[in-house]
Amino acid sequence: MTERLARRIRAISPSLTLAISAKAKAMKEAGENVISFGVGEPNFNTPAHIVEAAEQALELGHTKYTPSSGLLELRRAICEKFKRDNGLEYDSSQIIVSNGAKHSIFNVCYALLNEGDEVIIPAPYWLTYPEVVKTCGGVPVVVKASKSNGYKITPEQLKAAITPKTKLFIFNSPCNPTGAVYSEEEVRALAKVCEEAEIFVLSDEIYEKLVYGNATPFSMAACSEKMKELTVTVNGVSKTYAMTGWRIGYLAAPKDIAKAIDSFQSHASSNANSIAQYATITALSSPEASVEEMVAIFAKRREAMLKRIAEMEGVSCVVPDGAFYVMLVVSGAYGKKFGNHVISDSVSFSDCLLDAAKVAVVPGVSFGADDCVRLSYSLSMKDMLEGLDRIDAFMRSLA
């Protein structure tokens, strides 16, 4: 009998992030007091001036199809954003607006990868990267970033991973899940390796505005003109403007790649939501006071989380400089018992924690780091501290 499902679909692993969140949600609906550190979503409303722009677009009847690559006015606003924030000059024809940054990442991989092409992915990584690569026929090549180097890979590690089959390097700074932010010097050193090997880079910069202390992100495409021709930069409005549900992402690419992606998207999904596009024009073109306020709140939560973790027994973390996550090292619990259950990995730790303490976290195995679980500080300070207290009590209860 013919196989019912294609091999590329069967190769995809389900998202443990959504699985844990679904279990936690079901427990909440059953009346249990669950605190979730799970899905990475700012717990803020979309700023009012952005909502008003959407309302105005509705009133004006802007509910029709747009060009598949996005409204010209929006693509021009994105060009201005790249020039203003990243020092990068793009033509509007090099910009593609999609249904979220995840959609943009899929488009890039679909446009660049042939069957068997290798894609270098630093670990810990966002769990979707290897799944998209596999779906598009590529082969993920994972390079482990060490805790001692702040969860950043070195140029030597990158160079050692490159083979004649390498086509693409996926680079994410600030990083989900580690919060690592590469300095300009570190980005330039990695770019030099990519230039010499002439491999493409997918630079995921969705968290670029969410940085703390002295951390300053630097765009891979800004390293040189050659690097710009090898780089596709992906970004979006979900995290920066608390617009996760609006589903607007975008990319900037060399002209031939942008043209190919536009052609594919025109058949696959057509344009992104027209109303959300008009709202995004306002988001990108307005003063960023609301963004600065949100980042200040995240910074306070980050400091409070790090302080509380330092007081806890049996856990540790690497200080994150960006995004809104902490990778909590929990391998000290492995081999210990919760009731009749022996904790052996990040999945069993997460399951036991949810059952015992009503705290939802994401198992680190999803990110290529099975000694950790991911905590998000995109929840209220009160809930965050209560959740950390529960984790501390859970760790102390293990035999």
Side-chain angles (χ1 to χ4, degrees), residues 9 34 45 65 77 108 119 132 137 197 210 220 222 238 267 286 338 346 363 366 375 380 390:
I9 288 295
V34 176
N45 292 328
Y65 291 130
V108 175
V119 179
V132 170
L210 304 182
M220 183 71 74
S238 293
H267 294 293
S286 303
F338 163 65
S346 60
S366 304
L375 306 180
S380 72
R390 293 185 192 182

Side-chain angles (χ1 to χ4, degrees), residues 35 37 353 359 382-392:
I35 293 175
F37 289 96
L353 179 66
V359 173
K382 179 179 179 294
D383 285 349
M384 183 188 78
L385 293 176
E386 170 64 22
L388 292 170
D389 286 344
R390 293 185 192 182
I391 294 173
D392 190 14

Side-chain angles (χ1 to χ4, degrees), residues 112-377:
L112 292 181
L113 298 180
N114 290 310
E115 198 75 27
D117 283 344
E118 293 179 351
V119 179
I120 297 172
I121 305 174
Y125 47 71
W126 182 43
L127 55 86
T128 291
Y129 294 145
E131 306 309 323
V132 170
V133 168
K134 288 185 289 185
T135 302
C136 295
V139 178
V141 176
V142 175
V143 177
K144 293 281 188 179
S146 69
K147 296 183 187 69
S148 61
N149 197 43
Y151 283 127
K152 302 175 190 179
I153 67 164
T154 65
E156 292 75 21
Q157 285 181 291
L158 176 58
K159 188 172 184 179
I162 295 173
T163 75
K165 293 183 178 181
T166 304
K167 183 70 175 287
L168 180 65
F169 168 43
I170 296 182
F171 181 64
N172 178 211
S173 175
C175 176
N176 172 11
T178 66
V181 180
Y182 287 73
S183 68
E184 179 178 344
E185 182 181 3
E186 290 167 332
V187 174
R188 288 188 180 278
L190 294 174
K192 185 177 180 182
V193 175
C194 296
E195 286 180 0
E196 290 173 352
E198 296 191 331
I199 62 173
F200 288 103
V201 176
L202 190 168
S203 184
D204 181 353
E205 302 179 7
I206 190 72
Y207 292 97
E208 70 168 335
K209 297 291 180 76
L210 304 182
V211 292
Y212 316 101
N214 296 321
T216 305
F218 187 76
S219 290
M220 183 71 74
C223 289
S224 68
E225 280 302 312
K226 182 175 182 179
M227 198 66 245
K228 187 180 176 185
E229 280 300 302
L230 289 171
T231 301
V232 181
T233 302
V234 171
N235 210 320
V237 295
S238 293
K239 314 299 183 179
T240 301
Y241 303 99
M243 294 176 68
T244 51
W246 297 73
R247 308 314 303 137
I248 295 291
Y250 55 84
L251 61 82
K255 289 185 177 181
D256 58 334
I257 297 174
K259 183 177 180 180
I261 290 174
D262 185 23
S263 178
F264 168 59
Q265 183 166 290
S266 71
H267 294 293
S269 64
S270 296
N271 60 274
N273 179 282
S274 63
I275 302 305
Q277 287 191 59
Y278 281 101
T280 299
I281 294 170
T282 295
L284 294 176
S285 305
S286 303
E288 298 196 333
S290 59
V291 177
E292 293 168 1
E293 290 172 8
M294 184 173 70
V295 172
I297 293 171
F298 277 141
K300 290 179 180 178
R301 292 178 190 167
R302 168 181 170 271
E303 289 302 316
M305 177 176 279
L306 293 174
K307 180 181 178 182
R308 184 67 185 90
I309 289 172
E311 299 167 349
M312 295 162 63
E313 291 185 10
V315 299
S316 63
C317 71
V318 174
V319 175
D321 291 322
F324 40 68
Y325 308 105
V326 169
M327 287 295 273
L328 187 70
V329 181
V330 296
S331 52
Y334 297 177
K336 295 184 178 181
K337 283 188 175 182
F338 163 65
N340 295 322
H341 300 281
V342 177
I343 297 175
S344 58
D345 53 26
S346 60
V347 175
S348 57
F349 178 92
S350 301
D351 281 339
C352 289
L353 179 66
L354 184 53
D355 290 337
K358 306 297 186 288
V359 173
V361 297
V362 185
V365 68
S366 304
F367 310 106
D370 199 25
D371 60 336
C372 299
V373 296
R374 191 191 73 177
L375 306 180
S376 170
Y377 45 93

